[in-house]
Amino acid sequence: MFGATVTFTVLAICTAVSGFFTWERNKGVSLLLGGATVILSSIALILAFVGAVVGFFKILPILLLLAGCYILYRRLSSAG
């Protein structure tokens, strides 16, 4: 997931730079590259968000285990 995010980000940067420097010679190509930049950066943003959600769900079982241990400790220590 991270590799795809970096790839789409680099592609978006390349198309943005190309579109910027093409404006004087060919405005149509520059606008086309601008549209490609928007699409590529949107994909990169979505992949980064999905990657963050996946990362959270990888950590969630550990957090739930720690919370369960804490609750058991509190209940068992106050029962005696």
Side-chain angles (χ1 to χ4, degrees), residues 5-76:
T5 302
V6 171
T7 301
F8 278 103
T9 302
V10 169
L11 288 173
I13 290 170
C14 290
T15 55
V17 169
S18 299
F20 179 78
F21 287 113
T22 315
W23 180 256
E24 293 297 323
R25 290 187 218 148
N26 193 341
K27 293 185 179 10
V29 171
S30 181
L31 290 174
L32 184 67
L33 288 171
T37 301
V38 170
I39 292 169
L40 290 170
S41 60
S42 299
I43 293 170
L45 181 67
I46 290 168
L47 288 174
F49 178 75
V50 169
V53 170
V54 167
F56 173 74
F57 280 117
K58 285 181 181 178
I59 296 172
L60 187 62
I62 296 169
L63 295 175
L64 290 173
L65 177 67
L66 292 174
C69 289
Y70 176 74
I71 291 171
L72 282 174
Y73 171 74
R74 295 288 289 173
R75 291 296 164 207
L76 293 175

